[in-house]
Amino acid sequence: MRSIWNGAISFGLVSIPIKLVNATENHSVSFRQIHTADGGRIRYRKVCELDGEELTADEIGKAYEADDGSMIPITDEDLAALPLPTAKTIDIVAFVPLDSIDPLQMGAAYYLVAGGPTAAKPYTLLREALKRSRRVAIAKFALRGRERLGMLRVVGDAIAMHGLLWPDEIRSYEGAAPETSVTVRDAELDLADTLMDTLGEVEMDSLHDDYREAVEELIAAKTSGEETPAQPAADAGAGKVIDLMSALEKSVRAAKSTRGEEGEEGEGAAGTGDGEDAEVRELRPGGRRKADAKGGGGGAHTKAGTDKPKSAQKKATSGRAAPKKAAAKRTTAKKTAAKKTTAKKSSAGGTSARSSSSKKTAAGSGASGTRGKKRASA
């Protein structure tokens, strides 16, 4: 790896020679500007606005523009003469817990490479000290003409440094949060928790840039003269106002389907109960349907006892016509009536059994009394 800076880490009285190398690389596909009429490259020329003369890099310097528009020339010699103790040193100033660093401050990442065999021992010492303390080092260093703030942490067997923004470079979040007062219900939070649990964790190495791959396929097709690959259309429903609860329920089911858990049902958080499927409906003007309000779970319909195959069940829950829905409701009503009839018979049977038992007990008591009277008369 090519180093972009050479210097040393100042760790108290310990000095560790190191080289700074980039820890990241850019894989984005870059484009050139062209003249659409003939495909010629568009190039920029650096021209002086006073005399119109095109300049080379050796003829270009730097200056600070004052408030009145005048230019104050600043030379490299002027900057080199400034007292900058961190010009060739990464000066560690403190050790702090990692969670005390605001991620908003983090910038470019670098690896610190030990500068030769003599740097191996102090480099390892600093790495192991950081690892055992479970803290990170805050340091100052100079790069590309300005002093910067950095954070040193352990990555594997190496020490990495993240460039940090200065605290006064972080803008306030005021104005970013919604100004409208919003109430979030517990049921909505429960569904959000269910969705997060369903999505679970991910191996970061498995994530990749789909857009870059699509661009590369497009370029390869144009280069070989083949037909350009068709890209999937954007979601037509994007930006549509829908019922939040229904959207969460639908997201949970989609996440489970993606992870191969299509046969499992959501737990109580979705409000559908065991063995139930939820029908997601869009929010209509005037509020949700009365049936949804009664169901309390985004329009849940009980489907227990159905012997249809899964494919038929999916079709039934996704897009039935009105007559089929009415037939399903009548079937559900018949099943409910049958259950009630069975419950009544069971109740009647229980009452009859208890009555019969009472009669037998009374008869037994009478017989016992008769035998007692006969013995007394004898």
Side-chain angles (χ1 to χ4, degrees):
M1 292 184 286
R2 185 175 64 87
S3 64
I4 61 173
W5 184 91
N6 294 335
I9 301 174
S10 176
F11 177 33
L13 297 178
V14 178
S15 180
I16 310 172
I18 58 98
K19 297 178 180 180
L20 196 68
V21 300
N22 285 315
T24 61
E25 54 189 3
N26 186 7
H27 289 168
S28 298
V29 179
S30 59
F31 298 100
R32 302 290 188 185
Q33 290 185 328
I34 62 170
H35 184 195
T36 55
D38 55 18
R41 279 279 307 275
I42 303 298
R43 299 182 182 274
Y44 292 96
R45 298 185 304 160
K46 296 183 178 180
V47 178
C48 176
E49 65 178 16
L50 296 180
D51 56 20
E53 182 181 354
E54 185 177 352
L55 305 177
T56 63
D58 296 337
E59 299 175 293
I60 300 174
K62 60 174 67 74
Y64 176 80
E65 184 175 2
D67 294 338
D68 59 359
S70 61
M71 297 295 176
I72 303 174
I74 302 294
T75 65
D76 292 338
E77 290 75 14
D78 293 333
L79 296 175
L82 293 176
L84 189 60
T86 57
K88 285 294 181 180
T89 304
I90 298 175
D91 186 17
I92 296 177
V93 297
F95 293 89
V96 300
L98 176 60
D99 57 11
S100 67
I101 304 298
D102 189 340
L104 286 174
Q105 287 185 256
M106 293 188 183
Y110 309 94
Y111 286 129
L112 304 182
V113 181
T118 57
K121 180 66 179 286
Y123 185 98
T124 305
L125 171 64
L126 176 59
R127 183 192 67 199
E128 295 304 313
L130 288 171
K131 190 182 300 184
R132 189 169 72 172
S133 68
R134 297 183 179 179
R135 290 183 288 179
V136 296
I138 302 300
K140 289 182 177 182
F141 67 103
L143 183 64
R144 299 187 179 98
R146 60 181 291 248
E147 190 171 57
R148 304 167 188 262
L149 195 62
M151 179 191 75
L152 278 65
R153 69 182 184 96
V154 177
V155 176
D157 293 331
I159 299 175
M161 182 173 69
H162 295 268
L164 298 179
L165 296 174
W166 297 97
D168 59 358
E169 293 179 316
I170 303 296
R171 299 176 63 183
S172 173
Y173 62 83
E174 293 181 3
E179 297 181 359
T180 305
S181 178
V182 177
T183 301
V184 178
R185 294 179 294 165
D186 289 340
E188 293 168 339
L189 283 174
D190 291 341
L191 273 174
D193 289 341
T194 302
L195 177 57
M196 289 190 290
D197 292 340
T198 304
L199 291 175
E201 299 179 356
V202 66
E203 291 291 337
M204 296 300 292
D205 292 341
S206 67
L207 302 178
H208 57 277
D209 188 349
D210 294 323
Y211 178 77
R212 176 173 59 86
E213 291 182 356
V215 172
E216 290 174 347
E217 291 177 5
L218 175 65
I219 294 173
K222 283 183 171 290
T223 302
S224 60
E226 300 175 359
E227 184 178 353
T228 57
Q231 300 300 326
D235 185 7
K240 224 170 21 175
V241 177
I242 61 173
D243 183 0
L244 180 58
M245 290 288 289
S246 296
L248 287 170
E249 290 169 356
K250 186 176 181 181
S251 300
V252 170
R253 290 199 303 275
K256 286 185 176 182
S257 176
T258 302
R259 292 180 175 269
E261 303 174 10
E262 190 173 357
E264 299 180 9
E265 296 297 332
E267 299 181 3
T272 58
D274 295 335
E276 297 179 350
D277 289 334
E279 183 183 41
V280 178
R281 300 190 182 99
E282 296 180 6
L283 184 64
R284 299 191 173 191
R288 301 174 67 182
R289 296 181 182 178
K290 293 181 180 179
D292 293 341
K294 291 179 181 178
H301 298 281
T302 303
K303 299 173 66 177
T306 301
D307 294 331
K308 294 181 180 180
K310 284 188 176 180
S311 60
Q313 291 181 19
K314 289 181 181 178
K315 291 181 180 178
T317 57
S318 61
R320 283 184 173 175
K324 292 183 179 181
K325 289 184 178 179
K329 289 182 179 178
R330 288 195 295 271
T331 302
T332 303
K334 289 179 181 179
K335 289 182 179 179
T336 304
K339 289 181 180 178
K340 289 183 178 179
T341 302
T342 304
K344 287 181 179 179
K345 289 182 179 179
S346 176
S347 176
T351 303
S352 175
R354 286 195 298 271
S355 176
S356 175
S357 176
S358 299
K359 289 179 180 179
K360 289 181 180 180
T361 303
S365 299
S368 177
T370 303
R371 286 194 297 270
K373 287 180 181 180
K374 288 183 179 180
R375 285 195 296 270
S377 62

